[in-house]
């Protein structure tokens, strides 16, 4: 429909096919004027669009619960889940590891939290150590950590080989380490 509108030089109809977000940033009259003033560019773009996509990647995201996101992909005309939503504690990527860490911390799942401890510390860290680290005496600092991590969960994570880092707040960072194909958390603040 967009290509048809451009070929018919019906730029108002083409504009109507743009997203609400686009239309909030770009004025209809400017859009129409620009297209009228650049017919060669419009023709070239129509030609490229008619060739079809080199690759069409259609995605969706379902947001649910307390900040949980389930990514969907379209395959063969049907929507499929990109990840198993039951895998609440994935460590496939640094971001998933951080989300899982926060979820386990909120739910006080100490056995799960041990999964995020790097091998060199895991040899000396016990379940009791983990419970003491996030004990009721530390509840306010744990709550603050959870709030800060959740508020910054979408921050950019820099990955360099088997290490990654996410900066947040004025001077805090989460440091990650990949071991045995999964991401662990060296330090969360």
């Amino acid at each position: 429909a967009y290509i048809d509108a451009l070929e018919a030089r019906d730029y108002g109809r083409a504009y109507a096919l743009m997203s609400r977000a686009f239309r909030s940033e770009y004025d209809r009259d400017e859009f129409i004027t620009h297209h009228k003033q650049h017919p060669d560019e419009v023709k070239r773009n129509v030609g490229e669009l008619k060739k079809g996509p080199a690759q069409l990647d259609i995605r969706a995201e379902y947001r649910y619960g307390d900040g949980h996101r389930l990514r969907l992909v379209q395959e063969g005309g049907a929507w499929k889940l990109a990840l198993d939503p039951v895998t609440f504690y994935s460590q496939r990527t640094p971001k998933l590891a951080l989300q899982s860490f926060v979820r386990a911390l909120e739910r006080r799942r100490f056995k799960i939290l041990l999964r995020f401890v790097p091998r060199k510390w895991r040899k000396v860290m016990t379940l009791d150590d983990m419970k003491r680290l996030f004990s009721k005496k530390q509840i306010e600092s744990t709550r603050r950590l959870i709030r800060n991590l959740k508020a910054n969960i979408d921050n950019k994570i820099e990955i360099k080989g088997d290490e990654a880092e996410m900066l947040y707040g004025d001077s805090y960072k989460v440091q990650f380490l990949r071991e045995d194909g999964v991401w662990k958390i060296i330090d969360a603040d």
Side-chain angles (χ1 to χ4, degrees), residues 71 82-83 89-97 100 178 181-183:
R71 196 166 60 85
L83 294 171
Y89 303 104
S90 175
Q91 292 172 259
R92 279 188 328 109
T93 67
K95 183 173 182 170
L96 288 172
S100 297
R178 182 173 28 209
V182 297
W183 288 92

Side-chain angles (χ1 to χ4, degrees), residues 7-35:
E7 285 182 321
R9 295 188 176 127
D10 187 349
Y11 303 126
R13 186 165 44 117
Y15 181 81
L17 293 168
M18 304 305 289
S19 72
R20 189 175 306 137
F22 178 89
R23 291 191 318 260
S24 72
E25 289 186 39
Y26 296 93
D27 181 71
R28 181 181 188 275
D29 293 336
E30 287 178 83
F31 179 90
I32 292 170
T33 301
H34 177 81
H35 283 72

Side-chain angles (χ1 to χ4, degrees), residues 46-90:
V46 166
E48 290 294 318
L49 289 169
K50 280 183 151 183
K51 289 179 186 175
Q55 178 179 340
L56 182 60
D57 188 15
I58 300 173
R59 299 176 192 195
E61 186 176 78
Y62 177 72
R63 295 178 186 195
Y64 64 101
D66 189 20
H68 302 298
R69 296 174 184 188
L70 180 59
R71 196 166 60 85
L72 303 151
V73 294
Q74 197 171 50
E75 292 178 354
W79 285 100
K80 308 265 177 137
L81 302 177
L83 294 171
D84 182 358
V86 179
T87 307
F88 288 113
Y89 303 104
S90 175

